[in-house]
Amino acid sequence: MSAQRNYVCWTSRNVTATIPTEAATPSDAVLLATHAPLRIRRQAGVVGDDSATVITEFDVLDEFLTRGPNNGVLVAPVLGESGAGKSHLIRWVNAKIPAKSGRHIVYLQKTQTSLKDVIEALLVNQHDPELDEIRRRVSSLASGVTADEMEHKILAELAEALRTAKADNPYGKALVGENGLRLFFTDPLFEHHLLRPGAFIKRRAQHALHGRDADEPDVPLEFTVDELPLDIVDNDDIADASAAAQKLFRRLVASAPMQNEAVRLLNEYLDVAVTKAASLNVGDVGHAFKKIRERLVGQEILLLVEDVALIQGVRRDLLDAIIEVGVVRGEEKYATVRTLMAVTPGYYNEQLPETFRRRAEASSPIYQVDVDLNLEQSGGDQEDLLVDFFGRYLNAARVGKAALESAAPAVPDGCDACPYRASCHATFGTSGSGDAEYGLYPYNRPAILRAIRACAARDGDRVLFNPRKVLSRAIRDTLNSNIEVIESGKFPPAAFLAEESAVMRLPQLPTHVREQVEEDYSAEDAGRVESLLTFWGDAAKKKVSDDIVAVFSHPVLPDVGTDDGSDDGDLDGDGHDDGGAKRGELPRSLQKQLDDIDKWSQGQVLPQGLARDLRKIVREALVSRIDWFDTVIKDPDTMTLARAVPENARGVSIEGANENLALAVLPFVRIERSARNATTLKGLVLIRDGHPARAGDALARLDSLVSGSVDAAKHRIVDELAFDDASLIQAAGSLIKGAAACGALPAKPKDVDYVNACLWRDMTARPDAAARAPEWIAAYQDYVAARGKAVDQFMAGIGAAQGVSGGVYAIDIQRLLRIVGRAKEVANADDDSGVPSWCTDAQRKLKALLRTNERQILHWNGLTGRIRKYLPEEVSFTETVDAIVEAVKNGQDLGLIPVSNLQALEASNAQARDWDSRCIKEIERLAASVAEQSGTARLTSLGTVVGADLPKIAEFLESSSQWIEAGIRTAETSGGTIADVDNQLDETIKTWLEIVKESNS
């Protein structure tokens, strides 16, 4: 073939000018150049008459112009669904009507539907004071009336129309009159709601002033139930409305039939309200049009309406005026009006007045534009028509608007001067035949038919040709957006018309073919290869021609053919799927899931239940891959795993499964939509349902799928447990500080002492509990109890255990030493650093314990103070005990020992000799030194076990002092008895007296 490569034979300007949009109706020359024959059915009488015959648009034109009117009236309805081509027929007729004296054409385009545009067209360039006054009134709409003013005018006129309206049913009677629907349009609360952004009244006012926006659908603007102010849910807001409005609101909310009647009434009076809002009276336009007819008697008015439903405000007046009979008693009173109007069947049968329909059907047949082409049943002739339709627009895009208009009525062939004409037509094909044979480049016939199916519309089980979408998406958008793509050698792009194909659920390449493409090509080239095979491959399942591959600068294609999807998922052509499972041998429910996965890979949404099952399988595989040999911790429990690696999309996300996953959330495993992943998921489903032999290498693929996420999942679990180094360091710091506060850390600790402090636990009673303040000992006991759980968790974060429930039997000492080394600083710091959640209870109770330290110092000072009252520092406790024992021995015979149980006293004195009196000075030194200490050193001093005998010593000295002083008083009052005792007793008593006196001085 010739050297055609990456060649563009059109311009964006030509495409935009020749491929029509709603906003830009093409010129007559362009319209006629791109016009393809329509399928039109003519039927007499009512819609659906079986006597319909197929005719051409030329037949319609001839009948419309030559058929005898019925008393000066001919109304020819052109019926068709949206996008069927009914408006196109009106445009074609307008372009083909020959000029003729006495013929006045009124052309109402659906792109010019403002009141001003419609009325100006209807006045047929006629002038007199009355007609000019109507022009003057509506001309102010475009400049002198703001949107806000028009909105409030429509509300006010609707309210007035409803106030005076009559109703013929109970619901209607409740909705008209003073307390009816008008309240919604006058009450400030409901008025504000009705004029919220995007509300119906605002859009309706915009239409009246300026017509439809270019991107608006061609559906009439009418009230619906959704437009009623029923969604005010705040009772406080409702309370601001009038009592009558509140009552109506509650009745309307509670009654669906009343809502439907409200909508009917509003739509019935909407045109009246818009007309009056435009400063016109009902009937003004109809009267003016009839006056024009009267003025043009003997001539004809041809009224062409692209969509009667879109004529707002004056539709009722217009309909009445065009069916007004022109011949009365044999005399022509009004000029004949021939009306050709497009309308949807639903609007024709349900919205147009019966009188109008009856007169229309009495004057003309009904024409139904039949693009009801069920593409599921397409054949050769029908496909030829579709390709011809497509080819005409491709030719127009190459020729351009200016050339088409200058050559009219002939239609130039855009390929005539092309140096690649012969080879291009041989490679890509042509449409039509003879004089209307146009090149299909950059499409070929299979690509055109596929594109038409992608842009089709569904009606139940039928797939219907949608010319409007074909023009906009498959031709205009494709040609405009791919000029640089073609020139750079990258056409067709990946995902070519993929969205449309997915919506229409068109069959895609078999999964195994797409997987092969994904494996053999780069990501960019793989998408292009799939697009080329899917669209440009021929119907006989042969590969795309080498010439097309060369023209598009494609990489060499794989040795596979296209597939029309009729095998319902067979992937190797012999009734086997990816796993080798014959479809007939699998349960229907399983086969449906396999098919759903195939459809998912082709762009459809994966069913929620299936997506949930697949996430669970993949998540279990991910979790099972995690080991705790590197980061040694106790195996996490099920609840922790569920929080860290959830079974939902935050754990495993599947593209195209309607997950609504927040952008900031990064799942551990992201399963992208691809053929390879579809094969993997199908294999997993087969394994789950007991067919592992048919799953191929799904398990190996699953392992590969999750392997890259193991570390991230592992880290997330560690974070969830708060077993990361930072958390363990904070916890270790708290535990070291707590051990010091409990006296479990030596004054000059070594590394091993800090390790032991982290792991210390002791629920036994403290030997020095009696010497501790009650507040301190209670806080100590609370802390030690809470600390045990924290130590268990700490060990779980650095050690291995037998399963989830077993205890830790081995510790990662290297990690522990590293953590403890950094935790020493935390323990010695005064700031209150955060700890992991599992340590918060222990930390809180440690703080409570530390708050009692000052109280403990006061308690020690109180005990030593009591002792020093009787035991000066230069006197030893042993000497004092000996003196007391001697006093008992020498004074008991003289009756100087005033105790009831002398034997118990002697036993107590004997025990006192064994008490550790060194703790007195030890505690005195400790209490004096803590003021100069900080960190764990201070806590160690305060927490050390010391002074266990201190309370007993204080109590012993106090009780001994009491009975000795009592004995001395007895001796002193016995009349000189003291002088008569032997010298040893005298010496003992004097010694004790000196001790007591010195303590009190």
Side-chain angles (χ1 to χ4, degrees), residues 641-661:
L641 290 175
R643 291 192 300 270
V645 188
E647 292 185 355
N648 57 28
R650 291 186 295 114
V652 177
S653 175
I654 303 176
E655 180 184 0
N658 279 355
E659 296 171 336
N660 296 321
L661 197 63

Side-chain angles (χ1 to χ4, degrees), residues 54-76:
V54 176
I55 62 173
T56 69
E57 51 267 52
F58 290 97
D59 295 326
V60 173
L61 176 63
D62 180 65
E63 291 183 356
F64 177 62
L65 295 178
T66 62
R67 187 182 183 89
N70 185 359
N71 287 329
V73 173
L74 185 144
V75 179

Side-chain angles (χ1 to χ4, degrees), residues 10-323:
W10 62 88
T11 67
S12 180
R13 176 186 296 238
N14 283 350
V15 171
T16 302
T18 56
I19 312 300
T21 66
E22 290 297 348
T25 302
S27 65
D28 288 351
V30 174
L31 175 74
L32 296 176
T34 56
H35 174 72
L38 296 170
R39 292 167 61 94
I40 305 169
R41 287 184 295 129
R42 176 180 56 196
Q43 55 192 40
V46 296
V47 178
D49 190 334
D50 293 337
S51 62
T53 57
V54 176
I55 62 173
T56 69
E57 51 267 52
F58 290 97
D59 295 326
V60 173
L61 176 63
D62 180 65
E63 291 183 356
F64 177 62
L65 295 178
T66 62
R67 187 182 183 89
N70 185 359
N71 287 329
V73 173
L74 185 144
V75 179
V78 178
L79 273 55
E81 298 295 344
S82 178
K86 58 186 184 299
S87 298
H88 179 84
L89 176 59
I90 302 295
R91 294 175 197 151
W92 183 89
V93 167
N94 179 60
K96 298 293 286 186
I97 294 177
K100 181 180 178 182
S101 176
R103 177 179 288 168
H104 304 273
I105 300 174
V106 177
Y107 182 27
L108 300 182
Q109 300 180 55
K110 61 183 178 180
T111 55
Q112 297 177 332
T113 55
S114 70
L115 275 173
K116 180 178 181 298
D117 290 336
V118 171
I119 291 174
E120 187 61 47
L122 290 174
L123 296 182
V124 201
N125 293 322
Q126 299 295 308
H127 293 274
D128 68 18
E130 183 178 348
L131 300 182
D132 290 342
E133 174 61 17
I134 292 177
R135 283 193 178 90
R136 186 192 65 76
R137 291 184 205 169
V138 297
S139 65
S140 66
L141 293 179
S143 57
V145 178
T146 67
D148 181 71
E149 290 172 337
M150 191 64 179
E151 293 161 11
H152 284 85
K153 281 185 175 183
I154 292 175
L155 285 180
E157 295 297 346
L158 262 177
E160 179 60 22
L162 291 165
R163 185 184 69 82
T164 59
K166 303 299 181 182
D168 56 3
N169 63 73
Y171 291 120
K173 290 177 181 179
L175 294 170
V176 299
E178 294 290 344
N179 292 320
L181 278 173
R182 64 172 293 275
L183 295 174
F184 286 161
F185 302 100
T186 58
D187 185 278
L189 170 68
F190 291 102
E191 179 187 272
H192 178 75
H193 190 75
L194 286 164
L195 294 180
R196 66 194 185 279
F200 172 78
I201 292 295
K202 297 184 79 69
R203 289 181 287 129
R204 189 61 194 80
Q206 177 71 18
H207 273 217
L209 294 174
H210 307 294
R212 296 166 56 240
D213 287 338
D215 57 353
E216 281 191 82
D218 56 346
V219 294
L221 268 184
E222 295 183 327
F223 266 104
T224 65
V225 171
D226 292 337
E227 298 291 347
L228 294 174
L230 304 178
D231 54 347
I232 303 177
V233 296
D234 193 323
N235 289 329
D236 292 338
D237 287 346
I238 294 298
D240 293 338
S242 67
Q246 290 185 50
K247 180 179 179 181
L248 176 65
F249 172 79
R250 293 189 173 93
R251 290 190 65 186
L252 203 58
V253 168
S255 174
M258 182 173 283
Q259 294 170 20
N260 293 332
E261 178 62 15
V263 168
R264 189 192 68 79
L265 283 169
L266 289 170
N267 286 326
E268 181 178 349
Y269 290 100
L270 182 59
D271 268 4
V272 173
V274 172
T275 300
K276 290 189 173 182
S279 301
L280 298 173
N281 295 314
V282 175
D284 278 356
V285 173
H287 175 73
F289 192 70
K290 284 191 287 185
K291 185 173 183 179
I292 291 172
R293 289 183 63 190
E294 186 176 19
R295 178 180 295 181
L296 299 177
V297 166
Q299 304 180 56
E300 285 190 341
I301 299 174
L302 274 56
L303 178 60
L304 307 176
V305 185
E306 281 195 11
D307 195 331
V308 70
L310 298 180
I311 299 174
Q312 305 289 319
V314 297
R315 181 171 52 232
R316 181 179 299 183
D317 271 12
L318 176 61
L319 295 179
D320 288 343
I322 64 178
I323 62 172

Side-chain angles (χ1 to χ4, degrees), residues 64 155 167 176 344 421 674 733 753 872 974:
F64 177 62
L155 285 180
V176 299
T344 62
R421 175 187 175 96
S674 70
D753 295 319
S974 62

Side-chain angles (χ1 to χ4, degrees), residues 640-799:
T640 298
L641 290 175
R643 291 192 300 270
V645 188
E647 292 185 355
N648 57 28
R650 291 186 295 114
V652 177
S653 175
I654 303 176
E655 180 184 0
N658 279 355
E659 296 171 336
N660 296 321
L661 197 63
L663 293 177
V665 176
L666 296 177
F668 294 104
V669 180
R670 173 70 172 171
I671 303 177
E672 297 179 347
R673 195 196 303 267
S674 70
R676 176 178 177 80
N677 285 337
T679 302
T680 302
L681 297 182
K682 289 169 67 176
L684 298 180
V685 170
L686 287 166
I687 293 173
R688 180 203 63 187
D689 283 21
H691 304 280
R694 300 174 174 178
D697 60 349
L699 289 180
R701 292 184 178 207
L702 175 62
D703 186 70
S704 175
L705 185 66
V706 303
S707 60
S709 305
V710 171
D711 287 343
K714 193 173 187 178
H715 291 156
R716 183 64 186 87
I717 294 169
V718 170
D719 289 344
E720 179 66 32
L721 290 167
F723 285 170
D724 56 289
D725 282 4
S727 297
L728 291 177
I729 288 169
Q730 295 297 329
S734 174
L735 293 173
I736 291 172
K737 184 180 289 189
C742 295
L745 184 69
K748 296 181 178 181
K750 300 178 181 179
D751 286 346
V752 68
D753 295 319
Y754 282 109
V755 171
N756 291 334
C758 282
L759 306 181
W760 174 80
R761 70 175 87 216
D762 186 3
M763 291 299 296
T764 61
R766 283 183 68 100
D768 63 346
R772 293 283 173 173
E775 299 92 334
W776 191 96
I777 201 68
Y780 168 85
Q781 291 170 345
D782 285 348
Y783 170 65
V784 170
R787 175 188 172 90
K789 297 179 181 177
V791 171
D792 286 342
Q793 284 296 103
F794 182 80
M795 292 179 65
I798 57 170

